[in-house]
Amino acid sequence: MTAQTVADILAGTCLISGALLSLAAGVGLLRFPDLLSRMHAATKPQVLGLLLSLAGTALRLQNTIDITSLVLVGIFQLATAPVAAHMIGRAVYRARQVRTDLLVVDELADDHANGGPGPR
């Protein structure tokens, strides 16, 4: 096999894997029972799926300018998705929209009962 054939096979594998992870994220958004579980489905597999899709695209394009743009997209996604999910999760928790019966450990219960974090 030539190097181009191997690159095409790897690119196809990355693209299909990324698409399947993004599909799993979409299914998780529809099927999971509460917001915190849905946020997990929206961030973890979706980001990995996007990164795999970007890697497959980079393997296929093999152009420095295009790959640089793809790397920037990946970096911005990695920097913003976890922060956005954390902020949404905290806002939902403070608005008391979380199903506490589904929580295994509630580390914020003491802070929430006392009116928020304060000096220790």
Side-chain angles (χ1 to χ4, degrees), residues 56-76:
T57 305
L59 285 170
R60 189 72 181 116
L61 291 176
Q62 297 179 351
N63 184 352
T64 307
I65 295 171
D66 295 334
I67 292 174
T68 304
S69 299
L70 294 174
V71 167
L72 285 174
V73 168
I75 288 171
F76 287 135

